[in-house]
């Protein structure tokens, strides 16, 4: 029986032990939705193409702390207790003064015994007046915990992302992103399409859907949806839900933002749990909570 248990453990290890993709505070507040959103910092994380529509220089700093709720006894029995000090940080710089927009970021993640350091370079350019394309390169160093296997503890990868943004008319934006098409990092390839629609001047709907094109697309499907409310001219509220079967996670999120002429701040809280009856990132009945803050400056 112990042999069978160990076999099942290692068969599901990749799903259980994945480090989640880095998300900005803005993406945390929408449960990850935003492939079609016109965002700057997120061009180093999600879709690089919207960067082509901006003309200012942006500097941002982000800090996210992650904690686990109702930690399962099975995690300790497997000698994989969720460690303390789980957090991620991001430093972002974008210079959009020329016709070819671009920027750099440095991201760190410590989560579930994994450590990731990542440097990114983003480039975006217009295709006519209402469309743009972008490329995102990610130099990635991963250090995995001892229980993952000594032969794969340290790995350097070079994934990249291709993105498109199209604005068919003023109320609607369409986006598409293909993340890691060369499968540089196992289990992180994604093809996602998104829509952002202005229901009213103060209410926006954001929807993403896609999956892992290198696996069974339906079994690894992803959807995310969110609403954004413009409460005052410079104050925003957001709430969203998501289901990610590639990571076997589902959950909810909310956040607030203030955007001034030169300064801005974002705060978000996201809760994730394992999809019922699936083996994934979390054990049964566990919840993962991300609390994120970002400060940004525009020149």
């Amino acid at each position: 029986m112990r042999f069978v248990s160990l076999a099942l453990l290692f068969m599901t290890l990749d799903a259980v032990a994945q480090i989640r993709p880095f998300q900005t505070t803005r993406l945390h507040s929408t449960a990850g939705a935003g492939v079609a959103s016109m965002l700057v910092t997120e061009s180093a994380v999600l879709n690089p193409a919207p960067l082509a529509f901006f003309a200012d220089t942006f500097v941002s700093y982000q800090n996210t702390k992650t904690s686990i709720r109702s930690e399962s006894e099975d995690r300790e029995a497997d000698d994989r207790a969720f460690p303390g000090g789980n957090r991620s940080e991001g430093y972002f710089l974008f210079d959009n003064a020329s016709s070819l927009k671009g920027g750099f970021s440095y991201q760190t993640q410590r989560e579930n015994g994994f450590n990731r350091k990542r440097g990114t370079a983003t480039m975006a350019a217009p295709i006519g007046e209402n469309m743009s394309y972008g490329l995102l390169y990610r130099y990635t160093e991963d250090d995995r915990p001892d229980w993952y296997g000594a032969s794969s503890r340290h790995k350097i990868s070079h994934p990249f992302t291709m993105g498109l943004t199209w604005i068919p008319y003023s109320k609607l934006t369409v986006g598409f992103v293909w993340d890691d098409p060369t499968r540089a990092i196992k289990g992180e390839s994604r093809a996602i399409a998104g829509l952002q629609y202005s229901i009213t001047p103060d209410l926006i709907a954001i929807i993403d859907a896609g999956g892992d094109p290198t696996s069974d697309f339906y079994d690894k499907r992803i959807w995310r949806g969110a609403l954004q409310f413009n409460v005052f001219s410079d104050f925003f509220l957001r709430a969203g839900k998501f289901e990610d079967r590639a990571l076997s996670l589902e959950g909810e999120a909310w956040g607030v933002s203030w955007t001034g002429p030169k300064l801005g701040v974002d705060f978000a809280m996201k809760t994730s749990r394992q999809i019922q009856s699936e083996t994934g990132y979390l054990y049964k009945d566990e919840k993962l909570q991300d609390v994120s803050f970002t400060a940004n400056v525009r020149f």
Side-chain angles (χ1 to χ4, degrees):
M1 287 299 293
R2 181 167 180 78
F3 174 80
V4 173
S5 298
L6 288 173
L8 291 173
L9 170 63
F10 284 102
M11 287 173 61
T12 60
L13 188 58
D14 282 337
V16 177
Q18 289 183 48
I19 188 169
R20 295 173 301 158
F22 187 100
Q23 289 188 344
T24 64
T25 303
R26 172 68 164 71
L27 291 176
H28 276 135
S29 69
T30 60
V35 167
S37 298
M38 303 299 291
L39 305 171
V40 176
T41 302
E42 288 67 25
S43 67
V45 177
L46 189 59
N47 187 355
L51 198 64
F53 293 97
F54 292 87
D56 296 330
T57 296
F58 291 80
V59 178
S60 299
Y61 168 74
Q62 173 181 320
N63 187 300
T64 300
K65 294 184 178 179
T66 301
S67 59
I68 197 166
R69 306 300 187 197
S70 305
E71 184 169 343
S72 173
E73 294 180 357
D74 292 337
R75 186 179 287 273
E76 184 176 353
D78 292 337
D79 197 23
R80 297 215 319 269
F82 200 83
N86 294 276
R87 64 183 296 179
S88 64
E89 289 185 292
Y91 304 83
F92 304 87
L93 172 62
F94 296 94
D95 184 1
N96 304 317
S98 64
S99 58
L100 183 64
K101 317 297 182 178
F104 302 92
S105 80
Y106 177 70
Q107 306 161 17
T108 63
Q109 288 177 272
R110 294 199 306 268
E111 183 175 295
N112 197 24
F114 285 73
N115 286 277
R116 170 170 286 179
K117 296 178 181 178
R118 171 172 278 175
T120 75
T122 308
M123 179 278 293
I127 309 174
E129 294 184 1
N130 301 320
M131 184 177 290
S132 66
Y133 73 95
L135 293 173
L136 167 62
Y137 165 71
R138 299 166 169 172
Y139 174 86
T140 306
E141 290 191 16
D142 284 323
D143 289 294
R144 300 177 174 183
D146 291 336
W147 48 259
Y148 196 92
S151 62
S152 59
R153 283 199 63 199
H154 183 77
K155 183 179 180 181
I156 296 176
S157 307
H158 304 276
F160 71 94
T161 297
M162 302 183 295
L164 288 171
T165 295
W166 176 41
I167 307 174
Y169 64 100
S170 60
K171 290 187 176 183
L172 178 66
T173 305
V174 180
F176 174 78
V177 63
W178 190 357
D179 193 11
D180 195 11
T182 62
R183 295 183 286 180
I185 301 178
K186 183 178 180 181
E188 293 196 9
S189 183
R190 304 283 188 273
I192 300 175
L195 299 173
Q196 178 170 299
Y197 181 73
S198 297
I199 301 172
T200 71
D202 297 323
L203 178 61
I204 293 175
I206 307 166
I207 300 173
D208 291 354
D212 183 350
T214 68
S215 181
D216 187 312
F217 195 85
Y218 182 77
D219 286 345
K220 302 294 183 181
R221 64 190 182 275
I222 300 166
W223 70 264
R224 310 158 180 158
L227 293 174
Q228 174 180 287
F229 303 88
N230 187 355
V231 182
F232 303 106
S233 60
D234 54 3
F235 190 76
F236 301 89
L237 297 175
R238 302 183 189 94
K241 291 178 65 67
F242 77 97
E243 179 183 274
D244 187 336
R245 290 191 176 269
L247 291 176
S248 298
L249 292 177
E250 62 181 1
E252 302 81 32
W254 64 273
V256 296
S257 296
W258 173 79
T259 303
K262 297 294 182 180
L263 302 175
V265 293
D266 302 285
F267 174 84
M269 182 176 293
K270 179 182 174 183
T271 301
S272 306
R273 59 187 173 273
Q274 179 184 312
I275 295 175
Q276 187 176 4
S277 76
E278 290 194 10
T279 300
Y281 184 89
L282 297 175
Y283 287 85
K284 185 179 179 181
D285 298 327
E286 289 185 336
K287 291 183 179 180
L288 205 62
Q289 188 173 82
D290 299 297
V291 179
S292 186
F293 172 81
T294 291
N296 54 75
V297 181
R298 180 173 62 186
F299 299 97

